[in-house]
Amino acid sequence: MDIKEGFAEGKALDIMQTQTTLGFNTKVVGSTNDYSVTAGSDVVVITSGIPRKPGMTREELIGINAGIVKTVAENIIAHSPDAIFVIVSNPMDTMTYLTLKSTGLPKERIIGMGGALDSSRFKTYLSQALGKPQNDIHGMVIGGHGDTTMIPLTRLATYNGLPVSDFLDAAALEKVAADTMVGGATLTKLLGTSAWYAPGASVAYLVDSILNDQKRIIPCSVYLDGEYGESDICIGVPCIIGKAGVEEIVALELNEEEKALFAKVLLR
Ligand SMILES: NC(=O)c1ccc[n+]([C@@H]2O[C@H](COP(=O)([O-])OP(=O)(O)OC[C@H]3O[C@@H](n4cnc5c(N)ncnc54)[C@H](O)[C@@H]3O)[C@@H](O)[C@H]2O)c1
C-alpha cells in the first residue's frame, strides 16, 4: 500500500517474480490508496512516511510522519479491526505510542520494530570485534530507537554461552556499543537514505514470530504499564512475541548502571 500511484503494485509484481527462484507460492498484491484491498489482515506493518537524510535525527521526522502514520493507522483499523500492528516509521517509539492512542487497540497488538534491528546491528559489531561468526553471538538492545537513547546490553551479550567480556576489554565493548547506537546514521551517511535490507529482515523475523506463533524473545517498543517501573510510554524492552502479539514483557534484572541509563532515556 502506498500513496504514490502504481508504486505498491510495482513492488508487488517485482516480489511475485522472485517466486520460482526463491521457491514460494504466495499471491502478492499492491494498491494505491485503496485500503479495502487490505481488509481482514492479520498483521499490518506500517512503514509509510519519510526516511531521514544524512545528518538528520529520527526525531526530526516527527512533524511529517505523525500525520501520515495516524491517517494510515486509522484507515487500516477500519478495514482490519483484528490486526496486530507493527510500526516501523520513525521516530518509531513515538509513532508506536501514537498508533496505540489513535486506534485505541489493546497494547498487546501494537509492536514497534526497532530493537530487533538494533540488536542485529549490535551482533554484527560484536562479531567484527570478536572475529567470530554472528550466529554464535547473542545480545540485545533495549531503550529507545534513537542515536542517544539505545542501550546495548554488553553485560548480557554472549559468544556461544560465554560472556563477551571474557574476550573483549571494556574499551572494545564501549566501541561496539557506540557503533551500535549510531548504526542507522552510519548507513544513512553511506547510502544517502535509510537502510532497507536489515530493517526488512528484522520486520520479517518479527512477523514470522507472530504468524507462526514462534514465541521468540525480541526487544520491541511496547506500551509499559508498570513494567520496568514505567507507565504510559512506548519503549524497547524484551518481549515474547507470538500469535497474540506481545504475549509477555520479560523482566530483566538490570544492574544499577543499566537502570540509570533506562531512566535517563525516558527523560529525553
Ligand atoms: N524502525 C526501524 O528500525 C526503521 C528502519 C528503517 C526505516 N525506518 C523508517 O521507516 C520509514 C520508511 O522508510 P523507507 O526507507 O521505506 O522510506 P521510503 O521513502 O522508501 O518509503 C516510504 C513510503 O511511504 C509512502 N507514503 C508517504 N505518505 C504516505 C501515506 N500517507 N500513505 C501511504 N504511503 C505513504 C511514500 O510514498 C514512500 O513510498 C521511515 O520513517 C524510516 O525512517 C525505520
Side-chain angles (χ1 to χ4, degrees):
M1 163 70 62
D2 207 289
I3 201 169
K4 203 160 113 189
E5 193 66 49
F7 196 66
E9 290 85 339
K11 289 269 179 191
L13 194 56
D14 193 16
I15 294 168
M16 284 278 272
Q17 292 165 2
T18 67
Q19 287 200 51
T20 49
T21 40
L22 296 182
F24 66 96
N25 275 309
T26 310
K27 191 173 164 203
V28 185
V29 292
S31 149
T32 305
N33 253 348
D34 177 7
Y35 283 86
S36 67
V37 175
T38 66
S41 296
D42 295 318
V43 179
V44 172
V45 181
I46 301 185
T47 64
S48 318
I50 55 163
R52 57 181 169 161
K53 293 267 171 261
M56 284 174 89
T57 67
R58 294 176 179 91
E59 287 68 28
E60 286 174 70
L61 306 173
I62 193 168
I64 295 177
N65 285 356
I68 294 175
V69 170
K70 188 168 183 293
T71 309
V72 171
E74 286 169 355
N75 278 308
I76 291 283
I77 196 76
H79 291 89
S80 300
D82 299 324
I84 292 173
F85 281 59
V86 175
I87 313 301
V88 179
S89 310
N90 276 316
M92 184 277 294
D93 298 297
T94 314
M95 294 303 108
T96 304
Y97 184 86
L98 173 77
T99 307
L100 183 87
K101 293 292 169 185
S102 59
T103 60
L105 283 176
K107 60 184 178 3
E108 296 73 23
R109 282 172 46 201
I110 308 278
I111 308 173
M113 196 295 290
L117 173 63
D118 300 330
S119 300
S120 75
R121 287 179 173 154
F122 181 37
K123 287 179 266 188
T124 302
Y125 287 118
L126 277 171
S127 147
Q128 288 174 349
L130 288 160
K132 303 286 187 253
Q134 248 183 86
N135 287 323
D136 288 348
I137 295 163
H138 292 277
M140 66 172 98
V141 176
I142 62 168
H145 180 58
D147 296 354
T148 58
T149 56
M150 278 177 218
I151 308 173
L153 292 173
T154 48
R155 182 179 62 90
L156 300 177
T158 57
Y159 163 53
N160 271 326
L162 302 169
V164 291
S165 54
D166 287 359
F167 305 90
L168 297 171
D169 62 20
L173 285 173
E174 262 172 43
K175 182 170 181 339
V176 165
D179 287 345
T180 302
M181 292 171 79
V182 295
T186 300
L187 280 156
T188 303
K189 198 170 159 198
L190 290 168
L191 298 167
T193 186
S194 188
W196 54 89
Y197 292 122
S202 298
V203 169
Y205 183 75
L206 187 54
V207 171
D208 175 58
S209 198
I210 300 168
L211 288 180
N212 294 315
D213 199 23
Q214 296 285 314
K215 304 200 189 298
R216 292 184 177 123
I217 294 185
I218 305 176
C220 296
S221 185
V222 293
Y223 185 81
L224 298 186
D225 193 11
E227 298 88 351
Y228 289 82
E230 303 296 338
S231 291
D232 199 30
I233 187 164
C234 289
I235 201 82
V237 289
C239 301
I240 297 180
I241 304 292
K243 66 177 186 310
V246 182
E247 300 197 344
E248 190 182 325
I249 293 176
V250 179
L252 287 176
E253 279 291 334
L254 299 180
N255 66 20
E256 290 309 314
E257 191 189 344
E258 292 154 355
K259 275 186 199 158
L261 281 173
F262 198 80
K264 211 165 125 192
V265 160
L266 302 179
L267 296 176
R268 294 205 176 149

